[in-house]
Amino acid sequence: MGKVHVKMTVNGQEMETLAEPRELLIHVLREQFGMKGPHIGCETSHCGACTIDMDGKSVKACTVFAVQAESADITTIEGIGTPDNLHVLQAMFREHHGLQCGYCTPGMITRAYRLLQENPDPTEEEVRFGMAGNLCRCTGYQNIVKAIMAAAAEMNAAKEAAQ
Amino acid sequence: MNEMTPPKAERAAALKGLGTSRRRVEDVRFTQGKGNYIDDVNLPGMLFGDFVRSPYAHARVKSINPEAALAHPGVLAVLTAKDLEPLNLHWMPTLAGDKQMVLADGKVLFQGQEVAFVVATDRYAAADGVDLVEVEYEELPVLVDPMKAELPDAPVLREDIADAKEGAHGPRRHPNHIFTWEQGDKDATEAVLAEADVVAEEMVYYHRTHPCPLETCGCVASMDKVNGKLTLWGTFQAPHVVRTVASLLSGIAEHNIRVISPDIGGGFGNKVGVYPGYVCSIVASIVTGKPVKWVEDRMENLMSTAFARDYWMTGRIAATKDGKITGLWCHTTADHGAFDACADPTKFPAGFMNICTGSYDIQTAYLAVDGIYTNKAPGGVAYRCSFRVTEAAYFIERMIEVLAIKLGMDSAELRAKNFIKKEQFPYRSALGWEYDSGDYHTAWEKALKAVDYEGLRKKQAEQLEAFKRGETRKLMGIGLTHFTEIVGAGPVKNCDILGMGMFDSCEIRIHPTGSAIARLGTISQGQGHATTFAQILATETGIPADDITVEEGDTDTAPYGLGTYGSRSTPVAGAATAMAGRKIRAKAQMIAAYLLEVHDDDVEWDVDRFAVKGAPERFKTMKEIAYAAYNQAIPGVEPGLEAVSYYDPPNMTYPFGAYICVLDIDVDTGTADIRQFYALDDCGTRINPLIIEGQVHGGLTEALAIAMGQEIAYDEIGNVKTGTLMDFFLPTAWETPNYITDFTETPSPHHPIGAKGVGESPNVGGVPCFSNAVNDAFRAFGLTHTHMPHDHWRIWKTANQLGLHD
Amino acid sequence: MIPGSFEYHQPHDVEGAIRLLQDLGDEARVVAGGHSLIPMMKLRMADLGHLIDLRRIEALKGISIDGGTVTIGAMTTQHELIESKMLADAAPIVREAALQIADPQVRYCGTIGGNVANGDPGNDMPGLMQCLDATYTLAGPDGERQVAAREFYEAAYFTAREDEEILTSISFAGTAGGYAYEKQKRKIGDYATAASAVLITKNGGQCASASIAMTNLADTPVFSDEASDALVGTSVDDAAIKAATAAAVAAIDPAEDNRGPVEFKKHVAGVILARTVERAWSRA
């Protein structure tokens, strides 16, 4: 099958490529656009390691074809913070030991980023429910939940201080 | 004291050494998505390999036709056993002294077995090629149940060794029998059992499961024909072993092979073994002259690489009427699948299963393990435990409960009555181990008090009465476990893998400006070595941990080591790190004495410096010493400040812990809610409490998964029923409880810093603890034992069989 | 897990999509959210030559309520169902059920249309729609037609939808009274071991009407008139609940799988249904 032209915005930058219709978005992001943060874990949309933010939704990029992302606005972990200016979530995951092998972490943080936009002050139960599309084999989630709660508190405090 | 000198405590804190909850250095890159995992390794011109796999569990391969695949755009080659045979690579040795087909040689022995390797320009074309290879099979009778392996009508699986009467671990009595391994005193144990007041007997099955790290296994092989050097990146928990094995197999000189383990997305034992994918990638790279990547998908991972457990353990435990245990007998049937590829030290074909006397002073014991071939995937790895230690712990902790029921005793009391006492250490067990240190009674009492054990039993009794009155359909279960691990293999005299002694290593270079790099023979898969090993060094050398880089995983730069599994990094490489640090300090002492113009013996170590005894204001900091080591001519002392240590531990370490789980079982739906989980771990000296806590949380969650539903299940014709994460149970944040962690600290007497290792304790202790809680919930209704995994339907079935639905 | 090759089509209206289905015949499949179909394609268990993506068809999106009738476009996502205040007021059972489907990421993509149309017995929405007595609108070459959800499912993956038709919308009357959706599953992301949807209205302490449907307990969703009838006119006491669950359990035909054997599923179905009824009644 022939390749088709695909264009999308990734972390604020317009990117384009030629892709077969069957090429999965995760492969195009990782291999053509160099965004290696999102990972491949299960390939059947259970583990969430490939989670990206696409048009304001948390999406498992292993279950979307690149052609379906035409014109989409995508944020990956690479777009969430910079080395000089880490996102609060990134800082809190480190502070509270919310990661070990690091493989699930980009998906976790990217998902948590959207969760906190939709629910800036979640309960622990809401965090656990909202993060249930992301599997972690190392941490047992306890410190991930702690990190997200701490990030929410810090973001809210910063918001209040700004007002 | 010099006015400019901060107090000792302040200087020690600045080092972020032992005992500090130092934040991890790895996390800076991981949180930004800048880890470098195997699938992130991309080389110019790189090709992709993908396997044609057997749909059958047992079949003859009549023919393989690659023509349609080869005609497909992008497909460059299709390798079969015939192509590997001239290189003598169609079979390879396993870690357990057996051999394994790399690609199907005439027959297939398990579903998912590698049949042909398709090499293509990209992963899409490779997958298409796999679809197009035509394989003709002739199905053969399938052996799934190891108990039927030696029946007269059992199919012979391994025709290649059908007549071999002697295997790697002694005599074989049947073509499907691999070995029998015996430990302890059989006659004495049987005599004790015959004379005992009470004997409890049970068959305890620890089901087949899989480590299932979030990242699957994979590699990139790159044969550079210009300089004759093979570079192999891969998800290797033991990169040096891979280098040596690759050299022995391929004939490429070892100095021409460089093995690199990049960041590893979890291992848990899955990434210890050598898999056909690695061999085929290397061959494909040699054949094509291009780099070749192979990364398995999740289904391939669950079906073909490294299962764990699958032990059928029959036990008999003898005791006096008042509960003093007098003997333990265990026979295990070990289902090893189609090839014996267990990752155990050579002399231990059933791993350290002979730690199955657990935390108890049992004077007489006997263990026999029969290894059996079946039509299932090979493996038998230590999934987040030392070799077969979780099986052993599960066995003894279930047997204790079964005995308690028989005795009509509280199992907490039964345990306390039989613990090895503090003053008995070092303790020689009936099955041959020398436990280094322990204080079980203190830990146990602390744990029982922390959860208000008596109060819990009262609540349980009240809930039981309410259940009997029909006011609730939930039963409360209290699971108790006191486990003892055995980790940190070597020593070399006992422990080797494929002849390679299980020491480990650390090499340190102190730079002139006082910072340092340390390299180790281990490899982190999430344990945080870059953080914790720097802490050991900080305390040993007085260089702040933040000024120490820790590197692992590149065999061209790291000293030889046996890798990371079986909780051996801290006990062995951690010890090597401390010893290397001490070598640095010994040389630093000479330099300091010279600079201070005193005798070597007249200076003493003070956190981060050597000071003149009795004159602490006269000192040289390690930073100053390092500078002088490189830049000042010191008579009789070589320039530079480097050290290397290869550490062969004198013994293993024996971490232990006391866990208590409280859960509620809904007898109508079979669901279980964890109400509380308390975990007390004693891992000796604690290097980084934050990381220890994280390890315990993670290990407990893996234990939760295993106990409550995770399994590799086969149907009667050998089809894998649990090949995706829909059916292979990995709990989410929603199903996972919060844990309470606690500790006691009983240092190892033989480890340089007293540390014992902790990463695997929570799995070893957690599995029996969850299972004991489920069993305990039904104790009042006459249950002695029900098998894991305790998923909804099996719990329901237990309730049903006990008449709770009538 | 790599899908086979296909051509991709992205029509902008329903007519265009139907024309493609007509032109391309057997080789074409329609994709909505893709979270059932794409994994099947990756496992090469669904092999197709043409993929017709409905995501650009604006007419298939959105929720509207008109004169007490709720109409939901087929491409409305589970997430949108959950977020809709209007829908939560008109038929709160939909939100309660949608929250129990898959996980957050899947709910952002998964659509109600895909969920009801593909005929997977594991999907939650078909049973719910039968409980709601919903009507599906199908558009085909000859125009539109309506099929009741209770008539739509024939067998696993076989429905009343013709090959050249597209399910465009779902409509049902807003609910009154008590409601509940209960689902037992092994973990988040799993299909139901047993699930049930119940709507109940109450009049003077008695059950005035009831509607009961069950999920993943046969090769189609199971709507049980007998179970509903067993509740009507009673005070939904233990005896009535027992009669209703007995009727429902008699109507199901679960298959053994990794979740457990038939006997277990039948038992759990009864327990879950009883709980669903109790909760719905408590809200009536």
Side-chain angles (χ1 to χ4, degrees), chain C residues 42-279:
Chain C
K42 291 171 75 175
L43 293 165
R44 299 209 176 199
M45 288 161 83
D47 199 14
L48 46 95
H50 297 271
L51 189 68
I52 302 170
D53 193 343
L54 304 181
R55 67 171 52 216
R56 304 281 171 198
I57 305 179
E58 287 304 318
L60 295 180
K61 294 176 189 170
I63 303 166
S64 63
I65 299 179
D66 186 12
T69 299
V70 179
T71 302
I72 304 174
M75 289 298 286
T76 308
T77 64
Q78 314 291 1
H79 181 76
E80 288 160 349
L81 299 180
I82 291 164
E83 293 294 300
S84 169
K85 174 87 177 55
M86 188 170 69
L87 182 62
D89 290 341
I93 194 172
V94 178
R95 181 173 194 274
E96 182 160 301
L99 277 166
Q100 297 180 59
I101 294 174
D103 64 43
Q105 285 95 318
V106 175
R107 292 193 294 265
Y108 280 112
C109 292
T111 64
I112 188 168
N115 198 287
V116 301
N118 109 335
D120 184 338
N123 286 348
D124 290 277
M125 285 291 169
L128 176 65
M129 292 303 135
Q130 292 196 338
C131 178
L132 285 161
D133 198 12
T135 301
Y136 300 160
T137 300
L138 301 167
D142 305 324
E144 285 190 350
R145 65 180 179 120
Q146 260 82 39
V147 180
R150 292 178 189 172
E151 307 292 326
F152 186 71
Y153 300 95
E154 294 164 358
Y157 303 102
F158 286 91
T159 67
R161 187 183 64 82
E162 298 293 337
D163 287 348
E164 293 173 1
E165 286 181 318
I166 290 168
L167 191 150
T168 55
S169 70
I170 291 149
S171 58
F172 51 85
T175 62
Y179 66 92
Y181 192 82
E182 292 259 350
K183 178 178 181 180
Q184 180 167 335
K185 54 190 173 184
R186 295 169 298 181
K187 55 173 277 194
I188 291 216
D190 192 16
Y191 291 128
T193 302
S196 56
V198 174
L199 289 167
I200 292 186
T201 58
K202 191 184 209 170
N203 192 355
Q206 295 224 312
C207 170
S209 70
S211 178
I212 291 175
M214 312 200 72
T215 289
N216 214 16
L217 291 162
D219 68 347
T220 63
V222 175
F223 172 77
S224 173
D225 270 325
E226 293 79 4
S228 314
D229 291 347
L231 296 178
V232 176
T234 74
S235 58
V236 192
D237 52 12
D238 286 351
I241 292 174
K242 220 171 203 173
T245 54
V249 169
I252 62 175
D253 182 21
E256 175 168 348
D257 59 19
N258 287 329
R259 293 172 192 85
V262 171
E263 188 195 8
F264 162 69
K265 289 189 172 183
K266 284 195 168 176
H267 188 268
V268 170
V271 173
I272 292 294
L273 177 57
R275 289 179 187 176
T276 320
V277 170
E278 279 164 19
R279 207 152 56 85

Side-chain angles (χ1 to χ4, degrees), chain A residues 20 22-24 27 30-31 36-37 39-44 46-47 49 77-78 82-83 86 90 93-95 97 99-106 109 124-125 128-129 131-132 135 137-143 146, chain B residues 23-25 27-28 30-34 37 39-40 42 123-124 128 211-212 214-215 264-266 268 297-298 383-384 525-526 690-691 693-695 697-698 701-702 710 725-726 730-734 736-739:
Chain A
E20 277 187 76
R22 64 167 168 164
E23 279 183 61
L24 296 160
H27 289 144
R30 286 175 48 80
E31 282 161 22
K36 293 181 178 175
H39 296 134
I40 299 170
C42 73
E43 301 171 82
T44 51
H46 289 100
C47 82
I77 186 70
E78 287 90 343
T82 63
L86 286 184
Q90 293 169 314
F93 266 64
R94 180 169 189 232
E95 177 61 25
H97 191 27
L99 65 149
Q100 290 179 27
C101 81
Y103 201 74
C104 75
T105 310
I109 292 177
E124 180 185 333
E125 190 167 78
R128 286 186 176 271
F129 192 71
M131 296 303 295
L135 296 175
R137 294 287 291 136
C138 300
T139 65
Y141 305 104
Q142 194 160 328
N143 289 342
K146 208 195 259 184
Chain B
R23 299 318 188 248
R24 301 200 327 164
V25 294
D27 295 357
V28 178
F30 287 153
T31 54
Q32 296 180 72
K34 297 295 184 192
Y37 302 90
D39 206 11
D40 299 333
N42 286 322
R123 65 177 95 219
Y124 286 76
D128 291 343
C212 193
L214 202 54
E215 177 202 42
I264 296 182
F268 316 121
D297 68 28
R298 178 58 57 195
Y383 166 12
R384 202 164 184 150
Q525 305 125 41
L690 185 73
I691 287 183
E693 187 196 63
Q695 290 288 315
H697 291 167
T701 304
E702 291 191 340
Q710 182 185 89
L725 296 192
M726 168 76 91
L730 302 181
T732 74
W734 187 251
T736 306
N738 279 312
Y739 307 103

Side-chain angles (χ1 to χ4, degrees), chain B residues 112-124:
Chain B
Q113 187 179 334
E114 300 81 359
V115 173
F117 190 65
V118 175
V119 184
T121 48
D122 64 89
R123 65 177 95 219
Y124 286 76

